[in-house]
Each structure stands twice: as structure tokens, then as C-alpha cells.
Amino acid sequence: MTHRLVAVFGGDGIGPEVVAQARRVLDALDLGLTFEEGLVGGAAYGRTGHPLPPETLALARRADAVLFGAVGAPEYDALERALRPEQAILGLRKELGLFANIRPARLFAGLEDASALRPEIARTIDLVIVRELTGDVYFGDKGRRRTKKGLREGYDLMRYDEVEVARIARVGFETAASRSGRLLSVDKANVLDTSQLWRDVVNEVALDYPAIKLQHMYVDNAAMQLVRAPGQFDTIVTGNLFGDILSDQAAMCVGSIGMLPSAALGETGVGLYEPIHGSAPDIAGQGKANPCAAILSAAMMLRHSLRLPEPAERIERAVGAAIAGGARTPDLGGECTTGAMGDAVLAAL
Ligand code: IPM
Ligand code: MG
């Protein structure tokens, strides 16, 4: 047993509630992990005046992995951008070099009726979105200014360089290799130069992966296909903005955004693990949040950063068993509280 350090950042809204359930599951497995909590997001701003205080960043750098809840609180929406809660997660991704976001979406048996799609279509979904996480319009030059005519103007530069594209493309190819061997790159190369470079570089990297069947698709078509015939997708690699949008869409296709975990990875083994849902301030503190995405994120953490694949699988099987046994939070059409859903997963463990 090693004493590896997990930094736990619950954050805002339902973040702390769902992370608490993930902690219960990890504690029950008795893996010899050490946990240290830190402040992020609006919660951190309220206490320290900054959404990502230096102590939090230092803790993340020291840790073997970061377990993250969610950030975002309406009371801080009017702050200047650098102080808004979202800067905590964007800052962590950037500072830790976490350029690759792995977002698996598959339908747990029993959730067919919770999906926005017809059950026979929903059942076919088993895909992974590999989303670039530290570039694109998210991190390009941005601001507000006046036009020559004096009109207010906002701008966000979309940009990628070839190194950024090549490294995420490799993660896409490797992910595809560990699955069906098919990779779909999603872009908007018919309109955007950034996307044309993306496509060119992905094609170049493909030469190193002759066994992988690579295809390209425009993002508008991909959004349509994702609800029309999602079974055609296996591994999708795409940029930061397109990946953000497509992953929320994929979430609704598998029943609820409360079911989707994610891993943010960089060149080192250290990663950040978070449910893809946000802070959901409307249901915060009411015990209504679905902890499954956070619990499944903890499983991804065990697999990717802590090299503990067996307990990771145990957690995933336990979530599947809890769902199969009928445990449902309100987002899944049931009445379980957050804690009761955690209980059901623990019981299945
Ligand atoms: C996500 C979220 C974040 C993003 C927000 C909270 C900054 O939507 O992780 O998908 O846009 O990346
Ligand atoms: Mg998002």
C-alpha cells in the first residue's frame, strides 16, 4: 500500500455533495490513499478573494491526482472574468498542463428510459470523446473593445498550433487503439482555418497509426449524427469548444449528465478527475444531485493516475449494479437522495 496523495476540491453548488459520495466509496475500498481538501471556485473566492488560491494550486501540484467537484455560482457571475469561479478549473487545467480530456459516454443498462433518445437508439451508445483542453477559443486572445464606429465588440481568438493538435491526436489514436480501432476527428474545416490545420495534422499523425481507421466529420454533422445514429461513434477526438458541446449532448443521450465522468490528463501521470456536470446551483444543498458521475470519476482516477485498475472496475460494476437494482436520483426519474444513491453503490461494492 502506498500513501498517494489525492487533492479533493469540492468547489461550488452540488460539487461538495457529490465528491463526498465519491470519498465514501474510495474510503470503503481502503486503498491507502491520503486525502487533502482545498478551496476552489466561488467557495474559494468568498474566503480568499481568488477562485484558485496559490495554496490550492500548490496542493494540486503536490498531489498524485485531483478529485474535483464543480465550480460556478451565480452570485459571482458579475465579477471580472479573472475572478469568476470557472477560472479555477480553467487555471488548473492550464497550470497542470492537462491538455487531454477523456469523456466516456455509455448507457448503463436500465437507463434506457432516462435517455432523451428512443431506447433502441440509446442502447447503442458506447463512445469516448477525447477533448483538447488547454487551447482553442478558451485560451486564445480575448477581450472587449470598441469598433471604429464606437460599437462594443467582444472577441475570442480560436487558435491551435501543430504541436497542440498532434499531441491530442495521439491521445485520440491511442484511445481508439484500446477500443475498436476507429477514430473520428471532428472539426469545422469547411469554414475555419484552425480546423483545416487540425485536419492536416491529424492526417499526418495518422501515418504513425496505420492500424487505426481514421475518419473526419464536421461538427454540425457530428451533432446531428449523435442523436440520429450514435452507435456509429466509438472514439471521437476534437477541439476544446466542440468537445465541450458534444460531451453535454452525449450525456443527455445516455440518460443524464449526472452519469458522465471525465479525466483530464497531461504528459505526466497526474490527472484531474471531475464529473462533466456543473455546480447546478438550483438543486445544491437539497440532496437531489446524482453522485454517479463523481463516483465514476474516482474510478477513472484509480485507473489512470493511481494505476489501480481492479478497484476502478469494482466501482464501475457497483454503479452498474446499483442502477440495475433500481436506485435512481431525480435526474434519472427516481427519488433517491444523493446519500441514498451513494449507499446503493456502497452496498453493491
Ligand atoms: C466542462 C465545463 C467547463 C468547460 C466550464 C465550467 C468552464 O463546461 O468541463 O465541460 O467549459 O470546460
Ligand atoms: Mg461543459
Side-chain angles (χ1 to χ4, degrees), residues 71 86 89-90 93 103 131 138 240 244 248 274 276:
V71 287
E86 289 75 12
I89 185 62
L90 297 175
R93 291 170 180 170
R103 298 189 159 189
R131 169 191 177 195
Y138 272 64
N240 204 345
D244 179 45
D248 270 30
E274 57 170 330
I276 82 155

Side-chain angles (χ1 to χ4, degrees), residues 84 99 152 154 165 181 249 252 256 271 311-312:
R84 287 198 213 167
F99 67 87
R152 288 176 303 155
V165 178
Q249 195 187 341
M252 281 327 286
S256 166

Side-chain angles (χ1 to χ4, degrees), residues 45-260:
Y45 177 81
R47 300 268 291 275
T48 71
H50 200 280
L52 182 57
E55 313 82 72
T56 298
L57 187 55
L59 170 55
R61 287 193 201 283
R62 264 191 295 126
D64 296 291
V66 178
L67 191 58
F68 195 93
V71 287
E75 64 265 42
Y76 300 118
D77 279 353
L79 288 173
E80 60 173 289
R81 186 163 302 283
L83 296 177
R84 287 198 213 167
E86 289 75 12
Q87 294 307 310
I89 185 62
L90 297 175
L92 280 167
R93 291 170 180 170
K94 196 69 174 178
E95 292 294 329
L96 301 177
L98 305 174
F99 67 87
N101 196 199
I102 314 291
R103 298 189 159 189
R106 68 184 169 97
L107 188 88
F108 280 87
L111 290 188
E112 290 81 0
D113 291 334
S115 170
L117 304 180
R118 287 200 303 280
E120 66 271 24
I121 296 180
R123 223 171 269 132
T124 63
I125 304 175
D126 182 356
L127 57 88
V128 175
I129 296 178
V130 177
R131 169 191 177 195
E132 201 288 330
L133 209 52
T134 53
D136 205 347
V137 284
Y138 272 64
F139 292 95
D141 187 24
K142 61 173 71 230
R144 300 277 291 264
R145 61 192 172 196
R146 292 269 172 187
T147 66
K148 285 198 189 90
K149 287 185 178 152
L151 299 176
R152 288 176 303 155
E153 183 176 63
Y155 62 98
D156 300 86
L157 178 71
M158 179 179 274
R159 61 154 297 286
Y160 273 120
D161 68 34
E162 57 184 320
V163 172
E164 292 170 310
V165 178
R167 67 182 181 178
I168 191 69
R170 286 188 192 285
V171 177
F173 283 104
E174 299 289 343
T175 304
S178 72
R179 293 174 52 96
S180 71
R182 291 184 293 120
L183 178 65
L184 180 76
S185 174
V186 169
D187 63 34
K188 187 71 185 169
N190 51 344
V191 177
L192 303 173
D193 269 15
T194 316
S195 280
Q196 189 59 57
L197 174 82
W198 176 282
R199 194 175 278 221
D200 293 348
V201 173
V202 171
N203 281 330
E204 288 158 25
V205 173
L207 301 175
D208 292 341
Y209 298 89
I212 304 294
K213 191 174 169 336
L214 171 69
Q215 287 181 307
H216 301 274
M217 192 180 278
Y218 298 137
V219 64
D220 49 350
N221 187 21
M224 178 178 76
Q225 298 296 338
L226 200 51
V227 289
R228 192 190 72 90
Q232 70 187 284
F233 296 107
D234 185 80
T235 306
I236 297 173
V237 65
T238 191
N240 204 345
L241 181 63
F242 300 156
D244 179 45
I245 298 167
L246 291 178
S247 57
D248 270 30
Q249 195 187 341
M252 281 327 286
C253 296
V254 296
S256 166
I257 196 159
M259 293 302 300
L260 258 68

